[in-house]
Amino acid sequence: MSTALFSPYQVKNVTLKNRIVMAPMCMYSCYNQDGIVTNFHKVHYASRAAGQTGLIMLEATSVTPQGRISNEDLGIWSDEHIAGLKELTDLIKENGAKTAIQLAHAGRKSMTDGSIIAPSAIAFNEKMKQPEEMTQNQIHETVLAFKDGARRARDAGFDIIELHAAHGYLINEFLSPLSNHRTDEYGGSEENRYRFLKEIIDEVVDVWNGPLFVRVSASDWHEEGLTPEDYATYAKWMKDQGVDLIDVSSGAIVPAPIHAYPGYQVPMAETIKHKGNIDTGAVGLITNGLQAEEILQNKRADLIFIARELLRDPYWARSAALELNTSIEPLEQYKRGWVF
Ligand SMILES: Cc1cc2nc3c(=O)[nH]c(=O)nc-3n(C[C@H](O)[C@H](O)[C@H](O)COP(=O)(O)O)c2cc1C
């Protein structure tokens, strides 16, 4: 039976063999605190590729040391990071998947040693550090750090780049009025709050002509915060700048409660897809093949991002195929064990 989940997806020069994406998940496994790929990353990502996931997206990978969530995050702030990342992209591709990396800066949610930076000097909560308000010079340096990260990602052989603009990290902190209280041209109006991301996208596309995704928190889960409708507007601007797909998550900009249930973020992906006229990825408590197929067939999103279920089941693609009463090809080496 032909299914939407196992149909190919083309974006620019890259074709994914199916619509399944391994969602970015921090593994905090750079034990030397140098941001360099370790053996754990090689086993972890290559296993999900062997499990027939179409696209493997690496975890939040920091464009500066200060932008790490923890000291053990992956990094891409120096050319010394390229070799390990290249080994990873080679391993993932050898096992049949395409590769993506999520470029990130944690802003006021960084728990690294030393000072931290944000658009405004407002701590996330009483337990987190007080950030320094970024000067325009620091803003410019950080924009260029994303550009350098994109160049290194290109040199490491990634097929797709995603910018992390969600979950209350630095780019999200500029976008949301809850965390951005600036009075210069980077704060205030919707256009001004978008300026930091706009500049990052412009610099990234200067060194990267492959597919570009952006992950957003489409709802701040707060009555004075942003909504999927606001993000549909941002999505149109992003599309005009060359962004191909919005990966639609939500929350974590302020400590507000989130009402989560199976597929709870799918309506947000649907709103941005149709009102923003751009492809979207759906993520969040999507755990089985039928659920994924419903989202794609009803044109609520174009890709399905799976996070925790892929930690439990690296062969989730096969499990989903069984649920959809279809079959998929395994790695050549596994054919004798691949029963449908
Ligand atoms: C261990 C773990 C680490 C995560 N790290 C990231 C990350 O680096 N970047 C990101 O955008 N989201 C991150 N997330 C969020 C996931 O990508 C995903 O959006 C979330 O877990 C909901 O999807 P799920 O219900 O399929 O797990 C993480 C989630 C988990 C469980």
Side-chain angles (χ1 to χ4, degrees), residues 22-28 45 57-61 69 73 102 104 162-167 169 215-216 247-250 264-265 282-287 305-312:
M22 179 176 182
M25 278 181 281
C26 283
M27 291 287 114
Y28 310 116
Y45 289 114
M57 185 172 293
L58 261 59
E59 63 204 80
T61 302
I69 300 168
D73 288 18
Q102 189 185 48
E162 173 166 289
L163 301 174
H164 195 350
H167 302 165
Y169 297 120
R215 175 168 272 204
V216 300
D247 166 10
V248 183
S249 187
S250 75
Y264 69 108
Q265 293 173 151
V283 68
L285 288 175
I286 301 167
T287 51
F305 285 61
I306 305 288
R308 287 163 292 182
E309 196 59 31
L310 265 172
L311 296 183
R312 295 185 277 267

Side-chain angles (χ1 to χ4, degrees), residues 144 315 333:
L144 294 182
Y315 289 84
Q333 294 92 327

Side-chain angles (χ1 to χ4, degrees), residues 35 50 169 175 282 313:
Y169 297 120
L175 293 173
D313 179 6

Side-chain angles (χ1 to χ4, degrees), residues 21-335:
V21 183
M22 179 176 182
M25 278 181 281
C26 283
M27 291 287 114
Y28 310 116
S29 296
C30 299
Y31 309 113
N32 293 330
Q33 306 195 344
D34 53 7
I36 288 180
V37 167
T38 63
N39 282 342
F40 171 79
H41 296 108
K42 295 177 203 167
V43 172
H44 171 66
Y45 289 114
S47 304
R48 275 72 193 173
Q52 300 304 309
T53 307
L55 177 65
I56 303 292
M57 185 172 293
L58 261 59
E59 63 204 80
T61 302
S62 190
V63 298
T64 71
Q66 191 184 34
R68 289 174 293 175
I69 300 168
S70 79
N71 291 323
E72 283 76 29
D73 288 18
L74 269 184
I76 194 160
W77 62 82
S78 111
D79 286 354
E80 278 161 36
H81 292 111
I82 297 172
L85 292 167
K86 175 78 173 63
E87 248 189 285
L88 259 190
T89 58
D90 285 347
L91 275 172
I92 295 167
K93 288 179 194 180
E94 267 175 41
N95 285 284
K98 300 290 184 195
T99 55
I101 186 167
Q102 189 185 48
L103 300 183
H105 189 301
R108 71 174 179 173
K109 290 176 94 177
S110 170
M111 291 176 287
T112 51
D113 307 327
S115 63
I116 61 171
I117 53 172
S120 301
I122 310 164
F124 176 73
N125 61 23
E126 58 289 346
K127 290 192 196 123
M128 306 283 281
K129 269 193 256 183
Q130 169 87 12
E132 287 169 12
E133 177 175 315
M134 290 168 82
T135 62
Q136 293 208 354
N137 198 28
Q138 283 173 316
I139 290 176
H140 186 59
E141 280 169 8
T142 311
V143 168
L144 294 182
F146 273 95
K147 177 185 200 167
D148 287 339
R151 173 184 53 79
R152 295 184 186 113
R154 180 197 69 199
D155 293 348
F158 284 96
D159 298 300
I160 295 175
I161 290 178
E162 173 166 289
L163 301 174
H164 195 350
H167 302 165
Y169 297 120
L170 187 61
I171 299 176
N172 195 179
E173 289 160 22
F174 273 89
L175 293 173
S176 174
L178 300 178
S179 46
N180 182 346
H181 293 192
R182 296 181 73 92
T183 52
D184 63 1
E185 64 262 40
Y186 291 93
S189 67
E190 203 173 26
E191 286 84 357
N192 282 357
R193 284 180 277 109
Y194 181 71
R195 193 176 309 279
F196 180 59
L197 176 55
K198 176 174 185 281
E199 290 179 358
I200 291 172
I201 296 170
D202 278 344
E203 292 295 342
V204 165
V205 298
D206 196 38
V207 293
W208 173 257
N209 60 14
L212 184 60
F213 295 1
V214 178
R215 175 168 272 204
V216 300
S217 274
S219 167
D220 286 346
W221 293 92
H222 189 286
E223 56 189 17
E224 283 149 35
L226 298 179
T227 64
E229 279 69 25
D230 294 316
Y231 273 96
T233 304
Y234 281 149
K236 281 189 210 154
W237 297 348
M238 287 189 242
K239 187 174 179 181
D240 286 346
Q241 287 187 267
V243 170
D244 299 286
L245 179 139
I246 309 292
D247 166 10
V248 183
S249 187
S250 75
I253 185 75
V254 287
I258 295 177
H259 178 47
Y261 49 86
Y264 69 108
Q265 293 173 151
V266 176
M268 303 178 195
E270 192 172 8
T271 298
I272 292 174
K273 176 174 170 59
H274 297 294
K275 294 202 170 153
N277 190 26
I278 189 166
D279 282 6
T280 57
V283 68
L285 288 175
I286 301 167
T287 51
N288 68 66
L290 290 170
Q291 214 186 342
E293 187 67 12
E294 181 276 323
I295 295 164
L296 295 170
Q297 290 279 4
N298 284 319
K299 306 208 177 321
R300 308 176 75 191
D302 301 275
L303 291 178
I304 303 294
F305 285 61
I306 305 288
R308 287 163 292 182
E309 196 59 31
L310 265 172
L311 296 183
R312 295 185 277 267
D313 179 6
Y315 289 84
W316 188 79
R318 179 176 176 274
S319 305
L322 282 168
E323 283 154 1
L324 291 172
N325 201 21
T326 190
S327 60
I328 57 168
E329 284 289 303
L331 287 187
E332 184 60 33
Q333 294 92 327
Y334 291 175
K335 279 198 169 147

